[in-house]
Amino acid sequence: MSQVKMESIWQHELVLPYILNELRRKIEDITPVRKIVLYGSRAKTPIENWEKLNGKDWDVVIICDFPITNTHIWTRDLNYHIDLLVTTQEKINHFEKRNVPLIELFPTNKLEITKIKTYGKHI
């Protein structure tokens, strides 16, 4: 079992570039990525207060044309503490119906973080 880098769990400057760059590229080798959203603690907590989330994992949903299972090889096995669901829009509609707070990271960056590089350009 891999060791989780505690310093990488909550720090957006380390985890968000991974989600938006490398992880997205790996998934796009299989199926187009339509949307990436955060839910859970980070969707409910303003980014300036994320330091309070130290030790909590990232809750990420990636919406694609085809669902993907066994994503732990891209997350836990690479020392990223990400609770990742790769699914279709059809299956994610239950989040929206239950009014689960969501923050879109891709294609629209609703966090408005400009320091993160994705595909060679800042978002």
Side-chain angles (χ1 to χ4, degrees):
M1 183 173 188
S2 65
Q3 290 183 322
V4 174
K5 293 181 183 176
M6 291 301 287
E7 69 275 9
S8 297
I9 291 177
W10 65 274
Q11 292 178 341
H12 64 273
E13 65 273 10
L14 298 175
V15 179
L16 283 176
Y18 174 71
I19 294 168
L20 294 172
N21 290 318
E22 293 135 68
L23 181 59
R24 185 171 137 217
R25 282 188 192 126
K26 289 175 185 180
I27 292 171
E28 285 183 331
D29 284 343
I30 300 168
T31 180
V33 172
R34 303 298 179 195
K35 192 184 285 189
I36 301 174
V37 297
L38 293 178
Y39 67 100
S41 300
R42 277 162 192 79
K44 295 184 271 188
T45 305
I47 191 167
E48 60 270 10
N49 296 331
W50 275 9
E51 71 277 356
K52 296 176 184 173
L53 301 175
N54 192 2
K56 295 192 179 199
D57 65 356
W58 289 73
D59 301 313
V60 178
V61 176
I62 298 183
I63 301 165
C64 301
D65 291 347
F66 306 101
I68 301 173
T69 58
N70 298 326
T71 58
H72 64 276
I73 61 170
W74 297 326
T75 58
R76 188 178 63 232
D77 290 357
L78 294 177
N79 292 321
Y80 288 96
H81 200 54
I82 300 171
D83 185 3
L84 177 64
L85 173 63
V86 181
T87 190
T88 62
Q89 180 64 49
E90 193 176 295
K91 293 191 177 181
I92 201 62
N93 286 339
H94 75 279
F95 276 79
E96 294 165 349
K97 288 178 185 173
R98 293 182 2 224
N99 293 320
V100 173
L102 302 173
I103 295 178
E104 187 173 323
L105 297 177
F106 174 82
T108 305
N109 175 16
K110 294 197 176 169
L111 289 179
E112 299 178 2
I113 298 173
T114 58
K115 296 179 192 172
I116 302 166
K117 287 187 177 180
T118 179
Y119 288 106
K121 55 187 172 181
H122 292 330
I123 61 168

